[in-house]
Amino acid sequence: GQQVMQIPQYQHVQEGEDFTTYCNSSTTLSNIQWYKQRPGGHPVFLIQLVKSGEVKKQKRLTFQFGEAKKNSSLHITATQTTDVGTYFCAGRGSSNTGKLIFGQGTTLQVKP
Amino acid sequence: DTEVTQTPKHLVMGMTNKKSLKCEQHMGHRAMYWYKQKAKKPPELMFVYSYEKLSINESVPSRFSPECPNSSLLNLHLHALQPEDSALYLCASSQYRSPIGYTFGSGTRLTVV
């Protein structure tokens, strides 16, 4: 079945450093979504990417969708302590089932 | 209203108890979901309702029984659970195949004793 792998599992950075998490799917995706979950919280939708090679920016966050629509990345420039949390990618397969499969998540810690 | 409301926030139940988790949204979303999340793990899909009909059951044990009374409400009935069922249960909703993603509730933290 469809699998979505995400690396790294954990990342500790100094405030001001950059951060990147990568997501790879075993199958071609129709779209990929990114969520952030703060400690003790629930996942909050950040963005959806649909087109091959798509790049979207939200302030310090840059999201990319690979040309083959099988991989994606989230890059945060100049991290802040408010960026702490777990970032999940979630891919939707090309079939009509509509299932969203979550990656394992990358937990970001930011040292002030 | 842009929220998904889940009740209760915390629940402790014995293995012989019957309880229900409730989820409500008033965003007009026609797809609703139950996810289970264990500590330090991603959300794991349990059930999907589309237009109030069960469209996906991810081979969930029958001790979990979902119900969608109307387009705004989603319930999860629990019976004879096991300690390993202890987890955060998340409800989510979305417009069917929408580009704006899922809206998650804050979850019910369930402990089975």
Side-chain angles (χ1 to χ4, degrees):
Chain A
Q2 180 188 337
Q3 289 190 340
V4 178
M5 309 300 292
Q6 193 174 350
I7 58 169
Q9 189 174 358
Y10 297 99
Q11 185 85 57
H12 295 252
V13 300
Q14 198 72 39
E15 189 173 20
E17 291 182 338
D18 292 356
F19 159 77
T20 305
T21 173
Y22 301 90
C23 201
N24 282 288
S25 170
S26 56
T27 57
T28 301
L29 300 171
S30 62
N31 62 65
I32 194 158
Q33 299 179 4
W34 285 90
Y35 291 81
K36 177 183 179 181
Q37 187 171 17
R38 294 180 185 272
H42 57 277
V44 174
F45 174 74
L46 295 176
I47 208 159
Q48 175 170 283
L49 304 171
V50 178
K51 299 176 186 173
S52 169
E54 190 169 14
V55 178
K56 287 188 175 180
K57 293 192 176 187
Q58 289 180 350
K59 296 182 180 177
R60 295 179 294 105
L61 278 61
T62 301
F63 304 85
Q64 293 190 344
F65 201 10
E67 294 290 341
K69 300 183 73 173
K70 293 177 79 170
N71 58 69
S72 182
S73 65
L74 158 59
H75 179 82
I76 302 179
T77 304
T79 54
Q80 300 175 359
T81 54
T82 52
D83 296 324
V84 163
T86 300
Y87 293 84
F88 292 102
C89 61
R92 193 187 304 278
S94 302
S95 72
N96 288 328
T97 63
K99 290 197 303 188
L100 198 63
I101 305 299
F102 280 77
Q104 293 298 305
T106 297
T107 298
L108 173 64
Q109 296 278 11
V110 179
K111 290 175 284 189
Chain B
D1 188 352
T2 58
E3 289 186 347
V4 172
T5 303
Q6 286 188 249
T7 55
K9 292 200 182 308
H10 300 273
L11 179 62
V12 179
M13 62 185 289
M15 290 188 282
T16 57
N17 289 161
K18 283 186 183 181
K19 296 285 185 184
S20 296
L21 309 185
K22 297 187 183 301
C23 174
E24 189 168 3
Q25 57 89 13
H26 296 287
M27 295 177 280
H29 289 173
R30 302 313 297 269
M32 296 185 77
Y33 314 84
W34 280 115
Y35 279 85
K36 173 183 177 179
Q37 187 176 30
K38 293 278 214 178
K40 300 189 188 301
K41 296 290 186 185
E44 186 181 326
L45 183 63
M46 299 175 72
F47 303 104
V48 179
Y49 274 84
S50 301
Y51 292 87
E52 294 114 72
K53 286 188 168 45
L54 183 65
S55 59
I56 295 176
N57 176 344
E58 288 288 278
S59 303
V60 179
S62 59
R63 58 185 184 269
F64 295 91
S65 175
E67 179 196 19
C68 189
N70 59 55
S71 60
S72 300
L73 293 174
L74 188 65
N75 298 322
L76 186 63
H77 303 298
L78 314 173
H79 173 54
L81 295 193
Q82 303 296 310
E84 58 264 30
D85 296 320
S86 298
L88 180 67
Y89 287 83
L90 293 161
C91 174
S93 71
S94 73
Q95 287 289 13
Y96 194 61
R97 295 186 177 275
S98 163
I100 60 170
Y102 291 10
T103 301
F104 280 87
S106 56
T108 293
R109 193 160 297 280
L110 174 67
T111 303
V112 182
V113 296

